[in-house]
Amino acid sequence: MTEKPGWKTIPPGGLILAAGNAKEYKTGEWRTQRPVINKDLCSDCLTCWINCPDSSIVVADGKFKGFDLDHCKGCGICMAVCPKKAIRMEPER
Amino acid sequence: MRCMPKVLPLNGDDAAAYAMKQIDPDVVAAYPITPQTELMQSFSQFVADGSVQTELIVAESEHSALSACVGACAAGGRVMTATSSQGLAYMWEILYIAAGYRLPIVMNVINRTLSGPINIHCDHSDTMGARDSGWLQIYGENPQEAYDNTIQAVRIAEHKDLRLPVMCCMDGFITSHAVERVELLDDDVVKDFVGEYVPTHPLLDIEHPVTYGPLDLYDYFFEHKMQEIDAMSHAEAVVREVSEEFGKIAGRRYSLLEPYAMDDAESAIIVLSSTAGTTRATVKAMRRAGKKVGMIKLRCFRPFPKDDMVRLLDGVKAVAVLDRSDGLGAYGAPVFNEVRNALFDEDFRPQIVNYVYGLGGRDIGQADIAKVYADLAEIISTGKVKQRVRYLGVRE
C-alpha cells in the first residue's frame, strides 16, 4: 500500500478540490455478491443500465458490454429488473 | 488613525448589532432566543431600513440557522449569527461542522443558563460545553467590549493562519440588556478595518469546483482534525495581532487576558465577563485599604493563554478561579481546571481554589468578591485549604 499524504499537504477541512472524482473511489470493494450475465438471453434492452444506481452497466454502441466491477456494489437491482432473467448474482469469494 | 468617537447609550445586544451593521456581512441566519432576541431584532431593523446589504435568513430553528450559515460561508460569504443557551445547544452538531470545514463564521453568544429547570438568566454553562468545538471564545465584560469584540472577531476568524469560527460571549441580561456608554467607530473606519472578505475555496467559484463535507473516515479524518488543531495553535498570535491593530484605530487595548493590580499582588481572582467589573471595583476598594489583591480577567478562553497566565501568576501566593458554570462530576469547573493544569509544570505553584458562582443568574456583588479575597488571605496565613472547590452564594 502506498503511503497516504499527511496533514501538512492535504487540502484543509476535508475539501476535495477537483470535480468528477467519485470514480476514484472503488466502491466495488463493498460487494458481497456479483452480477453475472448470460449473453445468450440478453436482448440489449438496457433496462439494467437505466436502473443501476451506481452507473455500473457498461454500454457501447447501444449494446450491453458488461459490469463495472470497480464500482458495482452488488445490490442486485439489475437482476431484479432484467425482463429476460439474463442476470444472476453469485457470491464473492 | 484616530477619530473622534461617537458615543451612544447602548445595551450589549444593541452594541453587537451596531457592530454587525457596520461590518455589513453578506449573510446572517438566525433564530430568536432570550436574551439574544434584542440583538437580532435590532439587526433585522437595520436590514429592513436598508442600512445593510445583508441577506437575512429567518430560519425555523438554531440548527437550521447555523446550517444556513455553514452553507453561505462555504459559498464564499462573510457570515454572522447569534444565539443563547438552548439555541447554542441546538446548534451543537453544526458547531463542530463549521469549525471542521474551517468556516470563519462569527457568532455572538449571549450567555444564558442551560435548562433544566428552565431559566433565562446568565451563567456560562452554554458556551463552556462548547469549549472544545473548534470555535474561539472571546468573553466581553460590558457593551463596549461586545461591540469591540464583534468587530475584531471578523478579522480573527478570517485570518489566513486561522480560518476558524469565533464566538463572542457576553453575559445574558447583565451585559446584553444593561445600557451603558458605548464609543462607536465611524462606519468607514470599521469598513476599512474588517476589509473585504476573500474566501479561500468558495463553492460559487465555478471555475474551481470544490466539495465541502465528503465522508472522511479513519484514513483521513485524523489528518483533517490535526490541521484544525494546528490552526488553533496560531490563534493566540492572531488574537494578539488583531487586538493590537484594533487598539490603533479605537484607542482601546485588548489582549488575551487583562491583568488588574497584579504587579505586587499576593492573592488574585481569575474571572470572565461582567463579574470582572465587580471584581475590579472590589480590588480598587481593597487596594485603598492596603490589601495586596489583584485580578486577571480572562478574555480568551479558547485559545487559552497558558503562558501569559503562568507568567502573571508567578509570585502570587493564593488564587481563586471564579467559574460561572460547574463541571459536574469533574474535580472543579472548566476555568479552574484549565488554570490549575497550566501551573503543574511550574516550580512556583500558588494555592489555587475554585468558586462556582452565579448559576442561573444568581447575583454576585462586591461583598461576595471581598469574601473570596478574605478566604485567600486565610489560606495565605494558615497555609491550609479547607475546601478546594466551593460554591459561592448558594443557600444551604
Side-chain angles (χ1 to χ4, degrees):
Chain A
M1 200 180 93
T2 53
E3 185 76 9
K4 288 188 167 69
W7 65 268
K8 293 182 179 176
T9 55
I10 57 176
L15 303 187
I16 298 173
L17 302 181
N21 47 39
K23 64 176 177 290
E24 292 165 24
Y25 193 5
K26 306 282 198 252
T27 49
E29 292 171 3
W30 304 3
R31 199 173 52 240
T32 61
Q33 50 176 3
R34 66 167 61 203
V36 177
I37 187 81
N38 180 346
K39 277 300 281 181
D40 294 340
L41 298 178
C42 175
S43 66
D44 291 313
C45 69
L46 302 187
T47 305
C48 56
W49 177 79
I50 292 166
N51 285 278
C52 176
D54 284 305
S55 304
S56 293
I57 308 295
V58 182
V59 171
D61 301 325
K63 305 283 187 197
F64 176 94
K65 293 294 177 190
F67 302 102
D68 169 8
L69 292 177
D70 280 342
H71 297 97
C72 165
K73 299 194 187 92
C75 69
I77 288 174
C78 54
M79 176 198 71
V81 299
C82 178
K84 299 290 186 183
K85 302 204 184 309
I87 299 173
R88 66 181 187 279
M89 302 301 288
E90 288 191 352
E92 289 285 354
R93 285 183 301 276
Chain B
M1 177 181 56
R2 189 76 210 280
C3 56
M4 280 304 289
K6 175 178 165 184
V7 179
L8 283 181
L10 294 174
N11 65 33
D13 272 347
D14 288 339
Y18 201 92
M20 287 171 70
K21 172 177 107 85
Q22 293 180 312
I23 292 160
D24 197 358
D26 297 304
V27 175
V28 168
Y31 187 85
I33 181 167
T34 302
Q36 160 264 33
T37 310
E38 191 167 337
L39 190 165
M40 283 317 304
Q41 185 179 313
S42 294
F43 186 74
S44 51
Q45 188 67 54
F46 293 134
V47 175
D49 293 346
S51 313
V52 290
Q53 302 299 309
T54 305
E55 180 74 29
L56 176 65
I57 303 172
V58 186
E60 80 278 23
S61 74
E62 287 87 355
H63 189 282
S64 303
L66 193 56
S67 297
C69 288
V70 163
C73 196
R78 177 177 272 160
V79 178
M80 303 181 81
T81 185
T83 195
S84 291
S85 185
Q86 311 301 120
L88 185 68
Y90 197 19
M91 286 179 175
W92 214 261
E93 60 179 349
I94 318 300
L95 291 178
Y96 283 74
I97 289 168
Y101 293 180
R102 309 292 300 282
L103 299 172
I105 298 165
V106 171
M107 170 160 66
N108 265 283
V109 181
I110 322 304
N111 283 112
R112 164 184 152 181
T113 308
L114 277 175
S115 295
I118 190 165
N119 179 298
I120 57 167
H121 289 281
C122 175
D123 72 29
H124 298 164
S125 52
D126 49 2
T127 50
M128 280 299 157
R131 66 191 182 275
D132 298 332
S133 61
W135 288 61
L136 279 73
Q137 293 189 337
I138 303 173
Y139 289 81
E141 181 184 326
N142 49 39
Q144 183 69 64
E145 292 193 7
Y147 172 79
D148 292 346
N149 287 344
T150 304
I151 294 168
Q152 291 169 67
V154 171
R155 285 280 306 278
I156 292 167
E158 295 170 4
H159 195 286
K160 63 177 171 49
D161 295 342
L162 204 56
R163 295 271 162 185
L164 284 172
V166 177
M167 286 179 200
C168 296
C169 311
M170 72 173 102
D171 282 352
F173 289 108
I174 302 163
T175 303
S176 69
H177 283 61
V179 174
E180 290 188 16
R181 177 187 187 280
V182 179
E183 285 187 18
L184 302 165
L185 299 164
D186 283 350
D187 290 354
D188 288 346
V189 172
V190 176
K191 198 175 173 185
D192 286 347
F193 182 77
V194 297
E196 190 169 337
Y197 176 48
V198 183
T200 43
H201 299 289
L203 280 170
L204 290 180
D205 179 1
I206 55 172
E207 300 296 321
H208 301 93
V210 56
T211 302
Y212 275 81
L215 187 66
D216 197 27
L217 300 179
Y218 41 72
D219 51 351
Y220 278 102
F221 182 88
F222 203 165
E223 280 70 29
H224 290 129
K225 194 51 73 174
M226 194 63 217
Q227 293 176 327
E228 203 183 323
I229 294 162
D230 178 62
M232 191 57 105
S233 77
H234 297 117
E236 277 194 49
V238 170
V239 171
R240 206 167 275 123
E241 178 190 323
V242 174
S243 301
E244 278 170 18
E245 205 181 312
F246 184 80
K248 287 177 194 151
I249 62 158
R252 291 181 292 279
R253 310 280 160 187
Y254 291 96
S255 192
L256 291 114
L257 38 68
E258 179 193 310
Y260 180 74
M262 284 300 295
D263 286 347
D264 61 344
E266 290 180 353
S267 64
I269 283 178
I270 295 166
V271 64
L272 279 60
S273 299
S274 68
T275 310
T278 317
T279 307
R280 193 183 295 105
T282 313
V283 168
K284 200 177 271 183
M286 291 180 74
R287 280 276 171 180
R288 276 198 294 269
K291 310 280 188 195
K292 289 189 173 177
V293 294
M295 172 190 82
I296 300 169
K297 180 175 81 173
L298 191 54
R299 178 181 180 233
C300 261
F301 188 58
R302 287 290 183 269
F304 179 73
K306 170 192 164 282
D307 292 337
D308 289 355
M309 182 63 82
V310 166
R311 192 169 36 76
L312 281 170
L313 291 178
D314 190 4
V316 177
K317 292 175 182 165
V319 177
V321 180
L322 268 57
D323 269 281
R324 203 161 193 151
S325 68
D326 194 40
L328 290 92
Y331 186 41
V335 186
F336 171 74
N337 275 320
E338 212 77 42
V339 176
R340 200 158 185 250
N341 180 21
L343 292 166
F344 188 83
D345 296 326
E346 301 306 312
D347 296 330
F348 182 88
R349 278 190 254 162
Q351 281 291 358
I352 177 164
V353 290
N354 190 195
Y355 288 81
V356 174
Y357 76 98
L359 301 189
R362 174 63 48 83
D363 207 6
I364 182 164
Q366 290 189 45
D368 301 302
I369 304 288
K371 165 80 169 58
V372 173
Y373 281 118
D375 290 350
L376 292 178
E378 190 191 326
I379 287 169
I380 292 170
S381 66
T382 63
K384 290 198 176 77
V385 173
K386 287 183 201 148
Q387 195 182 345
R388 186 73 61 185
V389 182
R390 310 172 190 209
Y391 293 84
L392 188 63
V394 68
R395 294 185 302 275
E396 288 191 9

